[in-house]
Amino acid sequence: MRFQKTTEYAIRVMVFLANNQNEWLSVNHLHQVLNIPYKYLGRLMHTLTKAGLLEVNMGKHGGYKIHPDKQNIFLYQIIDVTEGLESYDRCILGFPECSDENPCPLHKYWISLQKSLKEMIYSVSLGDLKGLINVKY
Amino acid sequence: MRFQKTTEYAIRVMVFLANNQNEWLSVNHLHQVLNIPYKYLGRLMHTLTKAGLLEVNMGKHGGYKIHPDKQNIFLYQIIDVTEGLESYDRCILGFPECSDENPCPLHKYWISLQKSLKEMIYSVSLGDLKGLINVKY
DNA sequence: ATTAATTTCTACCTTATTGTAGTATATACA
DNA sequence: TGTATATACTACAATAAGGTAGAAATTAAT
Ligand code: SF4
Ligand code: SF4
């Protein structure tokens, strides 16, 4: 039960960008500071840009920053881009959703857990995560 | 953020076995009833047996049942066999665990979610899941 | 003993995720 | 205009997860 590595990377880089809103940050810089494979990160940044979360500036002195229209991005928006949100509406046993009236024994346990997960990714935003970076990346 | 398919299969089959404690159930039967690939399930059953969760009876009329010494198996024990428990003590950003004194902005959100996850898999057992199978597998 | 039904074991195949390499294109600026 | 520094694009490689095939070994019953 974990996020894909790519999702971890995306959260990592988005938190970092949210803490450096004014600067254009290059892939090379982010790669070194955040310890994410250079080329792989490049593709991920492109994907996040296509999804509208980032603004890009090509060429010399270029790089990425949080898109000006998206100043308060929630975790679910990042996860949606990298691995999708299907798993948050999915049965733990891999069955198509059953009725709440006739649930299997696991249902109530799973639903409650899934609810917590969902609540977190929909309520935590990059705004909540700004200004406190203490960690050595 | 989801369990591996193999973990879903394992939970599925363990819940079913817990609801049929007295019978030896063959892989072929389980495969048909639970809709899990035959050969893949065979290997999974063998793995669960090696891990001590199941008892096996080879040959004609053979099959598997919950191991008599393990009458109350918790979800974490199944997950441990299939995908391990590392992710429940792991940073969401993929960094080695930092100190609680000097956390990054995500830390408190992640820790609380992880705690809920962990509580569920350590507190829900097959005993909790018996006697209520309504679902068509 | 023979047969049928079962697990065990080994090898391989497919798919998705993660990572690498190289070239083309865009921009800043001297 | 030329050069340096950046992203964009395309192709491919490595790894892990999920799945398939078949022969060998085990057991029950005839
Ligand atoms: S009732 Fe059971 S099988 Fe159906 S969606 Fe809920 S957990 Fe899954
Ligand atoms: S402080 Fe941040 S980087 Fe460190 S373990 Fe907690 S969530 Fe991960």
Side-chain angles (χ1 to χ4, degrees):
Chain A
M1 169 69 66
R2 52 166 293 186
F3 289 123
Q4 287 178 12
K5 213 166 181 179
T6 304
T7 301
E8 291 179 358
Y9 288 160
I11 295 174
R12 207 142 118 194
V13 77
M14 291 299 288
V15 169
F16 190 85
L17 289 174
N19 278 274
N20 298 273
Q21 300 250 8
N22 306 323
E23 312 167 47
W24 293 106
L25 298 171
S26 75
V27 173
N28 187 45
H29 179 69
L30 294 166
H31 143 68
Q32 291 185 38
V33 172
L34 301 176
N35 194 32
I36 300 171
Y38 173 63
K39 287 288 191 178
Y40 196 66
L41 178 58
R43 201 159 53 192
L44 175 56
M45 298 307 280
H46 184 52
T47 304
L48 290 165
T49 305
K50 275 189 304 182
L53 301 184
L54 298 179
E55 195 184 5
V56 63
N57 192 352
M58 280 179 73
K60 197 170 180 177
H61 301 167
Y64 298 90
K65 58 170 66 170
I66 303 279
H67 195 285
D69 296 346
K70 292 267 170 55
Q71 283 305 309
N72 202 21
I73 293 169
F74 289 82
L75 289 188
Y76 83 89
Q77 295 175 276
I78 302 170
I79 296 167
D80 191 21
V81 174
T82 56
E83 62 180 78
L85 297 170
E86 296 76 20
S87 60
Y88 299 92
D89 290 302
R90 201 171 156 286
C91 169
I92 198 185
L93 298 179
F95 287 106
E97 191 74 24
C98 313
S99 72
D100 279 349
E101 305 129 25
N102 208 25
C104 91
L106 252 181
H107 194 77
K108 68 174 178 189
Y109 297 99
W110 174 234
I111 288 295
S112 124
L113 175 67
Q114 199 176 47
K115 193 156 161 283
S116 311
L117 274 167
K118 216 163 161 175
E119 262 167 27
M120 175 179 107
I121 65 169
Y122 278 86
S123 67
V124 175
S125 72
L126 294 180
D128 298 321
L129 306 177
K130 269 174 29 183
L132 262 174
I133 287 279
N134 300 317
V135 179
K136 270 282 153 297
Y137 290 97
Chain B
M1 167 71 66
R2 53 167 292 189
F3 289 122
Q4 287 176 12
K5 214 165 180 179
T6 304
T7 301
E8 292 179 357
Y9 289 161
I11 295 174
R12 206 143 119 195
V13 75
M14 291 299 288
V15 168
F16 190 84
L17 289 174
N19 279 275
N20 297 272
Q21 298 251 7
N22 306 321
E23 313 166 46
W24 293 107
L25 297 172
S26 73
V27 173
N28 187 47
H29 179 69
L30 294 166
H31 143 69
Q32 292 185 39
V33 172
L34 300 176
N35 196 30
I36 301 170
Y38 173 64
K39 287 289 194 178
Y40 197 66
L41 178 58
R43 201 159 54 195
L44 174 56
M45 297 308 280
H46 183 52
T47 304
L48 291 165
T49 306
K50 275 190 302 182
L53 300 185
L54 299 180
E55 195 185 5
V56 62
N57 192 353
M58 280 177 72
K60 199 170 179 179
H61 300 166
Y64 297 90
K65 56 170 68 170
I66 303 279
H67 195 284
D69 296 348
K70 293 268 173 51
Q71 282 305 311
N72 202 19
I73 294 170
F74 289 81
L75 290 187
Y76 84 89
Q77 294 175 275
I78 301 171
I79 296 167
D80 190 21
V81 174
T82 56
E83 62 181 82
L85 297 169
E86 296 74 22
S87 60
Y88 300 91
D89 290 303
R90 204 171 154 284
C91 168
I92 200 181
L93 299 179
F95 286 107
E97 190 71 24
C98 312
S99 72
D100 280 349
E101 304 129 27
N102 209 25
C104 91
L106 251 183
H107 194 77
K108 68 175 175 187
Y109 297 98
W110 174 235
I111 287 295
S112 119
L113 175 66
Q114 199 175 47
K115 193 157 160 287
S116 312
L117 273 167
K118 218 164 160 173
E119 263 168 25
M120 173 178 107
I121 65 169
Y122 278 86
S123 66
V124 175
S125 71
L126 295 180
D128 297 322
L129 306 177
K130 271 177 26 185
L132 261 176
I133 288 277
N134 299 320
V135 180
K136 271 281 154 297
Y137 288 98

